[in-house]
Amino acid sequence: MNEIVQIPEEFIEKTTDFKSLIQCLKEAFRKNVTTVPMRHHHDFPNPEVGEDSTLLLMPAWNPSEDAGVKIVTVSPANGQFDLPAIQGTYIYLDATTGSIKALLEAKSLTAKRTAAASALASSFLSRKDADSLLMLGTGALSANLITAHCAVRPITKVYVWGRSLAKAQKVVDTLCLPKHIRVEAVTEYRSLVSEVAIISCATLSKLPLVFGCDLVSGQHIDLVGAYKKDMREADDEAVQKARVFVDTFQGGLKESGDIVLPLSTGVLQREEVLADLFELCGKGHQGRETTAEITLFKSVGHALEDVSAAAYYYGKYTNEK
């Protein structure tokens, strides 16, 4: 029996090149040969902290090529324990024999592939000259989203906002970006919304943070948080003003309040969700059509991204040995 490779967070953090990871995901979505069942989503009570946790099981396989399953818990109250909300492990399998090839630390894997998926969407949906970014949220995803967006657009100015200025500054301090990119932690963000080309949001907010009344033509909104049906990062007016895209129709139409709630009230019609990453990467839809339109991308995550990223890091790890 082959030894099971352990791929730690440190390796994932050290070896990630977002341009190549984004290209890896682009090819996987373009080829569209991976089988991805609807992920298991189970909320369970957490009386210790008075707020539910969530268990997610995300399998995927490409016959005789790749297979794997991610096991993740999301506990929004983990801040009081000084722990990230997301915990988990990715089990990367030999798709022919079913044996385990590797165990990957899932928090970093998830952060990297999620950020890469948002940047992939941005490569189709944001203006090619997008030079500024507002990051709402200070969790593990924030620095990754900033770095990934900077990999596909000529960004020179980044603002970071969170409910804690100290946490926003910590995100700024951890970034390793080219010197020409200026990054600033801010205490107030709404006055900045109209000044930036891209707004990226990765929070656990149950109330909107992005408001349609603040948006201006030509912007791209990247919504990554709000993973449950009762959570929202953008209000109805923002959804109505934008041309809407999702990572996948399978999950994007069913899991997040940013899409589910507008659909349920008639604010958004199903046919107004224009395309997903399969269609964008497969050239079934061109994405942005004019410089003036506002685009909105909603990501809830997809197991194709996980198995593709696992293969990416497994290849890097074994090539170094």
Side-chain angles (χ1 to χ4, degrees):
M1 180 176 178
N2 292 333
E3 179 183 357
I4 297 173
V5 172
Q6 304 272 348
I7 302 180
E9 175 183 5
E10 292 77 16
F11 180 83
I12 294 172
E13 292 293 332
K14 180 182 70 173
T15 63
T16 300
D17 171 69
F18 271 112
K19 286 188 177 180
S20 61
L21 180 57
I22 291 163
Q23 185 61 35
C24 177
L25 294 190
K26 184 176 183 178
E27 281 299 296
F29 277 107
R30 183 187 66 80
K31 291 178 180 176
N32 193 13
V33 293
T34 303
T35 299
V36 180
M38 191 68 184
R39 70 181 175 186
H40 293 249
H41 185 133
H42 305 283
D43 295 327
F44 61 92
N46 195 341
E48 178 82 16
V49 297
E51 187 168 3
D52 286 357
S53 290
T54 301
L55 172 67
L56 301 171
L57 304 175
M58 303 174 68
W61 58 85
N62 181 2
S64 297
E65 293 290 337
D66 296 302
V69 60
K70 187 168 72 176
I71 303 172
V72 169
T73 57
V74 184
S75 299
N78 269 6
Q80 63 186 277
F81 305 115
D82 198 27
L83 290 171
I86 298 173
Q87 304 283 330
T89 297
Y90 193 85
I91 305 173
Y92 184 51
L93 304 169
D94 185 309
T96 300
T97 67
S99 59
I100 298 174
K101 294 170 72 173
L103 298 177
L104 296 90
E105 194 280 322
K107 178 169 64 69
S108 291
L109 177 78
T110 301
K112 301 301 184 189
R113 65 79 153 153
T114 302
S118 279
L120 174 59
S122 180
S123 71
F124 292 102
L125 301 177
S126 65
R127 297 196 321 267
K128 293 186 185 300
D129 63 350
D131 62 357
S132 52
L133 169 70
L134 171 62
M135 182 73 238
L136 304 182
T138 57
L141 271 171
S142 301
N144 288 293
L145 282 162
I146 293 167
T147 306
H149 277 292
C150 288
V152 298
R153 288 295 182 252
I155 293 171
T156 59
K157 179 64 180 178
V158 177
Y159 301 99
V160 183
W161 175 87
R163 301 190 191 279
S164 162
L165 180 61
K167 289 183 178 179
Q169 187 60 50
K170 186 176 179 180
V171 172
V172 173
D173 293 341
T174 60
L175 287 166
C176 292
L177 297 172
K179 290 183 178 180
H180 72 277
I181 302 176
R182 296 189 300 119
V183 188
E184 178 184 350
V186 297
T187 57
E188 188 275 331
Y189 74 90
R190 286 194 63 180
S191 63
L192 297 170
V193 169
S194 62
E195 298 181 15
V196 297
I198 300 172
I199 303 153
S200 185
C201 204
T203 73
L204 299 174
S205 181
K206 293 190 175 181
L207 297 174
L209 296 169
V210 179
F211 301 93
C213 61
D214 296 329
L215 300 178
V216 297
S217 65
Q219 291 180 305
H220 173 59
I221 301 107
D222 171 41
L223 303 181
V224 184
Y227 66 96
K228 295 169 70 173
K229 294 178 182 178
D230 63 346
M231 294 178 169
R232 292 197 73 171
E233 292 183 312
D235 71 352
D236 282 349
E237 186 177 349
V239 173
Q240 287 177 313
K241 278 189 169 184
R243 300 178 73 240
V244 178
F245 300 81
V246 292
D247 53 353
T248 70
F249 288 121
Q250 182 190 54
L253 298 177
K254 299 177 181 178
E255 296 190 21
S256 170
D258 280 312
I259 301 297
V260 171
L261 293 175
L263 282 174
S264 68
T265 59
V267 167
L268 178 68
Q269 302 299 315
R270 167 59 185 83
E271 59 270 21
E272 293 176 307
V273 183
L274 298 176
D276 64 4
L277 284 175
F278 288 107
E279 293 180 330
L280 290 171
C281 296
K283 299 185 179 180
H285 195 290
Q286 73 177 65
R288 175 175 287 271
E289 295 180 350
T290 72
T291 57
E293 67 193 17
I294 297 170
T295 55
L296 183 152
F297 175 70
K298 177 60 199 174
S299 169
V300 297
H302 192 57
L304 176 147
E305 299 163 12
D306 292 314
V307 73
S308 300
Y312 171 84
Y313 290 112
Y314 181 78
K316 281 180 170 286
Y317 192 88
T318 54
N319 285 337
E320 287 194 4
K321 298 303 177 182

